Amino acid sequence: MSKYLLIVESPAKAKTIGKFLDKNYIVDASMGHVRDLPRSQLGVDVENGFIPKYITIRGKGEVLRKLRTAAKKADKVLLASDPDREGEAIAWHLAHSLKIEPDSQCRVEFNELTKDAVRRSVKAPRVIDQQRVDAQQARRILDRLVGYNLSPLLWKKIRGGLSAGRVQSVAVKLICDRQREIDNFQPEEYWTIRAELLSPDHEQFTAQVITRDRKKIEPKSEEEAKAIVAELKPETPAVTDVIIRERRRFPRPPYITSTLQQEAGRKLGFTVKKTMAVAQALYEGLPVGKEGRVGLITYMRTDSTRISPQARQEAVEHITATYGPEYVGHGAAGKARGKVQDAHEGIRPTRVGRRPEDLKSFLTADQLRLYKLIWERFLASQMAPMVYDTVTVDIAAGKLGLKASGSKVKFPGYSVLYEETEEDNDKEETTELPQLKAGDKLTLTRILPKQHFTQPPPTYTEASLVKTLEEQGIGRPSTYAPTIDTITRRGYVQRERRRLLPTELGFIVTDLLEQYFPEVVDAGFTAEMENRLDSIEEGETAWTDVVREFFEPFSIQVEDAKEKMAPVKLEEEVTDELCEQCGKNLVVKTGRFGKFLACPGFPECKYTKPFREGTGVQCPDCGGELIVKTSRRGRRFYGCDNYPDCTFALWDPPTSKRCPQCGSLLVRKEPRTKKPYLACSNKDCRHREPLPAEDEKISE
């Protein structure tokens, strides 16, 4: 019998796959990439066809020695890195490092880690797809050319430790542009006039004044609103028309990477990075009782919503048995944006029969919540649409025209299983109206004028930023998590109450890049570059041509910026705290691990101390200040600065307001699908109250 060495990327994946294969297979892990461009130099020969200089990554020498030894003992080596461009490149690098012919039948890939899928794949190896490798290599070289030319420029002109990149710089610009739009927004006043009415059967409903003499009216001031109220008061409203239309709301398709990241952010409060880490664990496999270790979801880096016939059949059988045949739909298919890499399916459970409730004792809380989201979304995508009637009632009151809208569900369809977020839903009224017909006389009981102001666009959250990046074709599913992680670590953006807010540094870097390197921060240019990378994978373009077309004008801009870009001095935030060694006021610095306090006398004085972020809220136990702290697992909480003498702490942001019922501190609560509110920090007290209006709006 032949002996096989199967190389995957992670030990967890190796452990899962090892359970499915017989003793003729040895499964080992490369621990990710084994070769890359050197960190200490450009590593790209720009004078001779952009030839990359690859070296063994530091710390991977022992891994490669172990794999080479195992490869010598095997009759055949199979490379099973992840089924995407980056995975193809890892397989290519492994082939070179282990002296395997890339055009031999050495490449296998798994879209799901189940026994049948793994056994089918190892029996059908293929050659390494050089076009996918070239596309990934072009991305890597482009990112290196941008980063290694712009980053030193930023170090020299602004400060050390900064970086720039093709996707990250566009992401920062989007956030900065949005913040400027918010800052410059001028709210405009407008009013709505709603009327409370009684039907002939004395059922109450509301309608809004929308026309006068059949022309739309939009009151802009209190005076205009009062005039409409005065005009409406003496009238006897009557129904002029009732329009009933049957509508269908179809389910959303299965998740792709970006929609999973968005929905996990909105519904579960996960960061993009956390979503991908949890999904990776579900894909690579976990022990689930008697089944042993098995992959629970299909590959989570995909932009295709395609579903296999086998998965569709499983879903149909489950829906029929659980809800009835009338709940089976035709299968939702999403609209493709640009060129979709359709090699994979959408993200779905590997077996529908593994219900979330059956896995409760085997998964962590976060794993279970994400799995449940994926399981429900997939099943819902294969279910029948929701059917409902929309009702529009036109009402006349003298010269004024009013309109009331409502809806009534006739058949719940997929909604019996899956609850869409507010952003997913259409904006129809969901109120059920009384039975009305043309000619019905109505009783006016109350007029409700209300003042409004137009609102600025919402601040970006991780979910909404991912949605924008996807819609504009910037980056690819695998790039969103590292992009957001990078721009926050570099100090260009900070997270605050789930929002992404640009820092002064973010504005400065963005403005300089926009002035000297407009293409680097241009969303359209970056999206077109993604299309060019796709064309490499499809064999339409040579990767060297794509790199050359970008680098030649870019290198001229670099030389121009070196000469013309003026140094920028960042104003340091000076604190009241004094250096314990020389007495100077400490300043706030930002390093790899966030903010810290340092002496401005560096390098003569090297004194530093941790940064203390206060809340301005007094500790109710000892009178100290509640400050922001971080748990061992990286979660923010709020504890007394007199710790360990005082151990008072809260998970939610504290406010200085006190509970009117028990006197405890009120904290800010931010539910994932509802508006934020204030709640009592005392678990035995259930007092809640609305958030102050000026503090209420948080982007979704």
Side-chain angles (χ1 to χ4, degrees), residues 25 27 158 161 184 293 303 308 342 369 376 417 428 438 442 467 515 529 532 534 547 609 625 636 639 659 662 675:
Y25 287 86
V27 187
I158 305 176
N184 296 329
R293 195 177 187 93
D303 51 7
S308 71
D342 202 42
R369 292 163 72 203
E376 290 182 348
L417 172 66
E428 299 107 344
L442 306 173
K467 184 178 182 182
Q515 181 179 353
M529 185 60 70
R532 298 283 284 157
D534 290 341
V547 174
K609 67 180 294 187
E625 185 183 9
R636 281 166 64 101
C659 174
C662 70
K675 288 185 177 181

Side-chain angles (χ1 to χ4, degrees), residues 170-182:
V170 176
V172 176
K173 184 175 187 299
L174 285 171
I175 294 169
C176 289
D177 287 350
R178 176 61 60 86
Q179 190 59 48
R180 285 191 168 117
E181 197 177 347
I182 294 169

